Amino acid sequence: MKSIKIIGSLILLFSIQSIVAQYGQGGYGQGGMGQGGYGQGGMGSGMVGNPNMQNQQRSQPKEPAIEETVKKVVDRLNEQLKLDELQVIAISNIITQNIKKQNAIIKKEEGSNEEKANELKAISEKMDLDILILLNKDQKAKYKLMSEDSKKQQEAYSRRNR
């Protein structure tokens, strides 16, 4: 159960880090849509002079591709747990499905933040159980330790940002 929380935390942590990295290091403004893509000539030249369009684009950072996030998480798990090829494929599929479910919950407008947090927690716990089923005894022990460490890191991070 704790390992599910840790894996969910890892996924969210990797997603957040990717979003911050993309947006915080220039994103649209440095070689992105503001300067290179649409910002020079052609159809995009009208957007440069229109501050409303620029603000609209900058306020919505591009989300990292699910595949990138899954690859990072699975690579880390593979490095720590020495997964075989079938485990890598199965775990990749589980994580992909769960990220899609989590994104849908985060994006939905109805419901309180507490309800959303509970739903995300349930998805994360189910994902951990699904992953644990695929692991051997030694891998399960390591996975649980990783989950506990991740949970501690997430708690420390959330305390700092209060």
Side-chain angles (χ1 to χ4, degrees), residues 78-139:
N78 192 17
E79 180 183 307
Q80 300 289 323
L81 304 177
K82 310 292 186 237
L83 302 172
D84 63 35
E85 288 184 39
L86 289 175
Q87 288 174 318
V88 168
I89 293 168
I91 290 172
S92 295
N93 290 336
I94 290 169
I95 294 172
T96 300
Q97 291 171 354
N98 284 284
I99 289 175
K100 288 178 181 178
K101 289 177 186 176
Q102 289 173 342
N103 286 343
I105 290 170
I106 291 168
K107 289 178 183 177
K108 75 178 183 180
E109 294 182 15
E110 69 271 355
S112 70
N113 286 342
E114 187 176 331
E115 290 172 351
K116 289 180 183 180
N118 289 336
E119 288 181 59
L120 292 172
K121 182 179 176 183
I123 289 171
S124 182
E125 289 173 356
K126 183 181 181 323
M127 180 181 69
D128 277 343
L129 292 174
D130 291 343
I131 290 173
L132 282 171
I133 290 171
L134 301 171
L135 303 177
N136 64 37
K137 186 178 178 180
D138 294 334
Q139 290 171 327

Side-chain angles (χ1 to χ4, degrees), residues 13-34 57-69 72:
L13 183 63
F14 283 126
S15 298
I16 291 169
Q17 286 177 337
S18 297
I19 290 170
V20 170
Q22 286 180 357
Y23 191 69
Q25 295 180 356
Y28 296 113
Q30 297 177 354
M33 295 183 108
Q57 287 177 349
R58 287 191 181 147
S59 67
Q60 297 175 348
K62 183 179 179 184
E63 292 181 14
I66 292 174
E67 295 81 18
E68 292 175 21
T69 305
K72 289 178 185 178

